[in-house]
Amino acid sequence: MKTRSPYLNYITDYMITRHYLLRTVNAYLSWIANFIHFHNKCHPSSMGDNEVVAFLDHLVLQK
């Protein structure tokens, strides 16, 4: 299950080597991808608490 994103591939490999269920891996990847796309494809390492709050506010107020 490889993606075009090296970051998401890293997350996938990390979780699979720790024996996460495939369903859990897919759920986590989906949420991480949604977070990244919400912030115009910025890398998560360049974001902080404010971006997390903005994403959660968006989920609560708009979704």
Side-chain angles (χ1 to χ4, degrees):
M1 141 178 40
K2 293 295 179 183
T3 66
R4 294 187 312 177
S5 166
Y7 180 73
L8 293 179
N9 288 336
Y10 168 77
I11 298 292
T12 301
D13 293 341
Y14 178 88
M15 291 194 299
I16 287 175
T17 59
R18 283 155 183 79
H19 307 290
Y20 282 64
L21 293 175
L22 216 46
R23 188 172 179 180
T24 302
V25 173
N26 288 333
Y28 280 31
L29 290 177
S30 176
W31 281 111
I32 293 167
N34 287 338
F35 176 74
I36 291 169
H37 284 270
F38 177 78
H39 290 292
N40 300 316
K41 299 184 179 178
C42 290
H43 195 277
S45 66
S46 67
M47 294 187 266
D49 295 345
N50 293 335
E51 287 79 12
V52 173
V53 170
F55 180 66
L56 294 175
D57 283 345
H58 168 74
L59 291 177
V60 170
L61 299 173
Q62 312 254 333
K63 294 271 179 166

